[in-house]
Amino acid sequence: MICGGVRRGRDTETIATVEKHGWCSLLVPGTVDFAYTVGLWHSFQIPEIVMFGLAGEHMQLWLNTCVERLRDIGWPAAEAPFTGVIEGHETMLRPVDESWRAALFGTAYRFYGGWSVPVWQLVWPDGAGRWPWNDEATVSSRTRQAFGWLPVSAHPAGSWRLVGTFGNDFPLPAEPDSWALTTRSLLAGRTSPAVVAFDDGRFDVLDARGYAADDLCLAYLGHAVEQHPSLNALSDLPTGHVATLATDGTWQRTPSSDPQRTESTAAWRTSQPLRVTS
């Protein structure tokens, strides 16, 4: 059997559910949640299914409904709409490119002992029935779903491409698609990081102007790391601390001060998100 050599431990509950029901629907919480099945290939020789961008527990239920529906009607052709999963809406399945496997499907990878099994994406339309590749579809339906049928390198710029690019190798103790306070100049490479604060799960990545910069914005943390690999050195920055770049190029770490926290809070309240589109 494919999963005969799977060790229990961290995946004990998943394995037990597959043994009892034939598959398990896993929720992966993050900046944007996704959920996927484990066990379909093992139990029924059909691809695993992943779904992105809706309420986590609902996605788990819809995945289960999808499996039951497909066992009734058979596996559809790619991009063939079908009903019976989300009430009042069609859905469709598209095969997921192999380049997403390492970033998204760690539990499945362990379950199958490193074997590469097929995964298809359950795609949902917006409220008007428009699919996410339609330019007229709502922004949320186009950005909350990964375009998993594309290679990571060909995915539109944004949060999911960052997740696919970094996978489990993101150097900082946050998600690559989490918001960070930074500056437009720093993201464009015109300035360099000089002050980095980490507190309450969020990062401030600032240049020498600090909170006085006139181009403060909110952006995906992964974009700052892509532009400035020097940030990799801050993988061990403790929460509640600030790192300041010294003249010798090293980062000096000190506890956050009350004035710094006050400035940070004010800047987060007034800064606007920057949407990267290329």
Side-chain angles (χ1 to χ4, degrees), residues 181 202 218 261-273:
L181 177 71
R202 65 188 189 187
L218 302 180
R261 287 193 173 101
T262 298
E263 285 190 290
S264 175
T265 299
W268 274 87
R269 287 175 177 168
T270 58
S271 298
Q272 297 298 312

Side-chain angles (χ1 to χ4, degrees), residues 7-66:
R7 294 186 296 177
R8 293 180 181 266
R10 65 189 294 188
D11 297 321
T12 296
E13 184 176 352
T14 298
I15 296 169
T17 302
V18 173
E19 290 175 340
K20 182 176 181 179
H21 299 287
W23 77 92
C24 178
S25 294
L26 298 176
L27 171 63
V28 184
T31 306
V32 179
D33 295 345
F34 69 98
Y36 68 95
T37 64
V38 174
L40 295 181
W41 186 256
H42 167 72
S43 300
F44 310 114
Q45 291 73 57
I46 60 175
E48 305 295 346
I49 306 172
V50 63
M51 189 178 192
F52 297 91
L54 295 175
E57 293 182 356
H58 290 168
M59 287 192 293
Q60 290 177 286
L61 294 174
W62 285 323
L63 286 175
N64 291 338
T65 300
C66 182

Side-chain angles (χ1 to χ4, degrees), residues 195-198 211 237-238 240-244 252-257 260:
V195 178
V196 177
F198 179 43
Y211 297 105
L237 183 64
H241 281 67
V242 177
T244 304
Q252 305 299 313
R253 297 158 173 80
T254 57
S256 302
S257 65
Q260 181 272 326

